[in-house]
Amino acid sequence: MKSALALCLMQIVSLLPLGVARLFGRAMGLVMMAVGAKPFKITQRNLSLCFPQQAPKANQKLAQKRMCHLGQAFFETPVLWRKSPSWLQNKIIAVEGESILREALANDKGTILLIPHQGNWEVIGLWISAQTAMTSLYQPPKLAKLDRWIKHSREKAGANLVPTNISGVAALLKALKRSETVAILPDQQPPRSGGDFAPLFGVPALTMTLAHNLLNRSNAQAIFCCALRETGGWRLHFSPAEEAIYSADQATSLEALNAGVEAIAALAPEQYQWEYKRFRAQPEGAPKIYL
């Protein structure tokens, strides 16, 4: 029943024009602020940790803007899942660093797209997979019917979705060795066995070692990218990773990975996923970040 209701609501939302969906999203953001919703409180906490040098009023204003963008992401994503690749192409306002992407796709090294939770990351996956062979990890939602809809929507553009386990990681490596593209969300907290601590906005963050391991086992190149929300669509941004990300030294590579995340977040701080409990795992003996 829950699955059917959730799917029904999302499919209704998917019928909305993009502008109307975003309008509802901004209204949702205002409600979250007004009631002091959990995402708003977590955002406030993360901003105070990551930008202690900023005045509290500035962080509060940024948190308020973030709620409106969070609401817009919630309402516009079902629209994305229903629409065709050609519709999405018409909604791309600009592509910054497109030459970086084209050069990477044209060579035979394989490409790792590092897509932080900035703007609407679904846009990047759908846009890229319509143009080149792309493999990405996929953690299905608990609701089976919703899972089928999301998976179908992502795969119809051409993406190859693989599970978030050993076989999925092996599939990523095989794709790179075929000179294809893989997509990774680098700012999710991994299991303790799959990560190590590295600074992110000056705060210790359990950081995935997956990208480091793939880079060290292939000749792939790493590119950071995001899809920033603009009036009428999205602006895509591509930039090369720091050279240090290719280091055989894991700590050096992870620091460069997080530096790339920071640079992407700085493009539009109000569009970054500050409501995520990114720092809930801390080194042994450190105090808890979230109550």
Side-chain angles (χ1 to χ4, degrees):
M1 185 67 177
K2 250 186 213 181
S3 177
L5 181 59
L7 180 60
C8 181
L9 288 173
M10 294 191 80
Q11 288 179 331
I12 290 172
V13 169
S14 76
L15 299 173
L16 296 173
L18 180 62
V20 175
R22 287 180 170 180
L23 181 63
F24 278 116
R26 288 191 291 272
M28 177 181 171
L30 294 174
V31 171
M32 285 191 288
M33 282 185 274
V35 302
K38 189 175 180 180
F40 187 44
K41 292 179 179 178
I42 296 171
T43 295
Q44 291 172 308
R45 177 61 174 147
N46 280 337
L47 291 175
S48 68
L49 282 170
C50 297
F51 302 115
Q53 74 283 1
Q54 286 191 171
K57 284 186 178 179
N59 281 337
Q60 180 70 359
K61 186 174 181 180
L62 181 53
Q64 293 170 346
K65 289 182 178 179
R66 173 57 199 156
M67 289 302 98
C68 287
H69 277 282
L70 174 59
Q72 289 180 81
F74 179 84
F75 274 88
E76 74 184 13
T77 298
V79 177
L80 271 171
W81 287 335
R82 187 180 70 86
K83 295 292 189 178
S84 66
S86 60
W87 176 90
L88 177 59
Q89 181 61 50
N90 289 331
K91 294 298 181 181
I92 302 303
I93 307 301
V95 182
E96 298 174 348
E98 185 171 11
S99 61
I100 295 167
L101 173 67
R102 297 303 172 197
E103 183 179 348
L105 297 181
N107 66 36
D108 59 358
K109 292 182 178 180
T111 304
I112 298 178
L113 294 178
L114 298 168
I115 313 172
H117 288 83
Q118 167 78 317
N120 195 317
W121 47 96
E122 290 283 344
V123 170
I124 289 286
L126 293 170
W127 188 77
I128 292 287
S129 61
Q131 303 180 53
T132 188
M134 188 185 81
T135 301
S136 58
L137 297 176
Y138 176 64
Q139 180 67 48
K142 294 179 180 179
L143 301 178
K145 290 183 178 179
L146 182 58
D147 169 38
R148 286 195 292 271
W149 184 45
I150 294 174
K151 194 169 187 291
H152 170 74
S153 300
R154 288 176 175 174
E155 289 182 333
K156 73 181 180 184
N160 175 34
L161 304 180
V162 296
T164 54
N165 55 27
I166 293 175
S167 67
V169 173
L172 296 182
L173 187 58
K174 288 178 182 177
L176 291 175
K177 290 185 175 180
R178 293 193 300 267
S179 304
E180 295 176 358
T181 300
V182 305
I184 297 174
L185 302 175
D187 52 350
Q188 288 181 309
Q189 181 175 286
R192 187 64 185 85
S193 60
D196 204 352
F197 287 97
L200 178 65
F201 298 103
V203 184
L206 185 58
T207 303
M208 66 169 58
T209 54
L210 174 60
H212 168 72
N213 292 335
L214 290 174
L215 288 168
N216 274 266
R217 295 179 64 185
S218 70
N219 292 318
Q221 55 195 318
I223 296 177
F224 279 92
C225 51
C226 65
L228 300 174
R229 193 169 293 104
E230 299 278 357
T231 301
W234 295 270
R235 171 169 52 93
L236 307 186
H237 177 90
F238 296 89
S239 57
E242 292 182 3
E243 190 63 31
I245 203 170
Y246 301 100
S247 173
D249 179 67
Q250 181 173 283
T252 300
S253 180
L254 295 189
E255 286 187 14
L257 177 71
N258 282 348
V261 172
E262 292 174 11
I264 290 293
L267 295 172
E270 68 279 4
Q271 295 196 37
Y272 188 65
Q273 187 181 245
W274 300 108
E275 66 280 358
Y276 177 53
K277 289 185 176 181
R278 182 66 184 86
F279 308 107
R280 63 186 181 277
Q282 286 294 290
E284 188 174 350
K288 288 184 177 181
I289 297 293
Y290 312 103
L291 300 178

